Amino acid sequence: MVAAVIERGDRRLLIGQRRKEDSSPLKWEFPGGKVRDGEAPEAALARELSEELGVTMTKCVEMGRVRHQYQGAADELEIRFFAAAIADGDAKPVCFEQIAWVLPKELGAYDFLAANRELIANLATGRIKPGESLERFQGP
């Protein structure tokens, strides 16, 4: 699994609310999804952002990984979180009930999926700053 933490210039982060008919209905999450067989995580993230939000990812850098097993799930998930930048344009809630741009300190007010808790705590306290991670990244 891959997930994007997208930070705007005003430090607000993009989050999405799952649809009513999805698993974990109406829970909030960072956009992303499953990596297909043979797909690089970065390519999967770019594909998921296009499918879920109608945006083009311009760059990303991995910020951390979390292993989590949801109750009733057979396997433990590994989620790779990436700081990601997107091309200018409006993100649309293509696969979400709604999306929101929120300040890191506001994240605790949203009912997130359990696997996001540690990341949210680190974002809310400023231990992880996605924009700074991208600025330091000297990738291709």
Side-chain angles (χ1 to χ4, degrees):
M1 302 287 293
V2 291
V5 181
I6 301 166
E7 183 178 30
R8 285 194 317 205
D10 63 3
R11 296 208 52 238
R12 291 182 182 273
L13 306 173
L14 179 64
I15 59 174
Q17 186 180 40
R18 288 174 167 242
R19 290 185 172 156
K20 290 187 262 298
E21 60 275 5
D22 289 346
S23 61
S24 301
L26 302 179
K27 292 276 191 180
W28 289 86
E29 65 183 347
F30 294 99
K34 294 179 181 160
V35 179
R36 296 177 180 160
D37 287 341
E39 189 176 38
E42 295 82 359
L45 191 62
R47 176 183 48 76
E48 288 285 347
L49 293 178
S50 176
E51 291 172 3
E52 292 186 353
L53 300 167
V55 298
T56 301
M57 185 176 79
T58 57
K59 66 180 176 176
C60 68
V61 60
E62 188 172 335
M63 296 187 315
R65 297 180 189 198
V66 170
R67 295 190 74 79
H68 187 81
Q69 186 156 6
Y70 284 100
Q71 189 173 357
D75 297 320
E76 185 177 60
L77 289 176
E78 180 180 67
I79 304 169
R80 298 171 72 167
F81 290 100
F82 289 83
I86 57 174
D88 287 340
D90 289 335
K92 299 174 283 308
V94 178
C95 293
F96 290 107
E97 192 75 21
Q98 62 180 319
I99 58 173
W101 289 96
V102 300
L103 290 170
K105 66 182 180 186
E106 298 169 341
L107 292 170
Y110 292 83
D111 186 16
F112 270 87
L113 292 169
N116 292 262
R117 285 192 188 123
E118 184 179 341
L119 176 65
I120 289 167
N122 286 327
L123 289 165
T125 58
R127 284 192 292 266
I128 294 178
K129 297 179 179 167
E132 289 180 12
S133 296
L134 281 173
E135 287 173 13
R136 288 193 301 269
F137 180 60
Q138 300 298 317

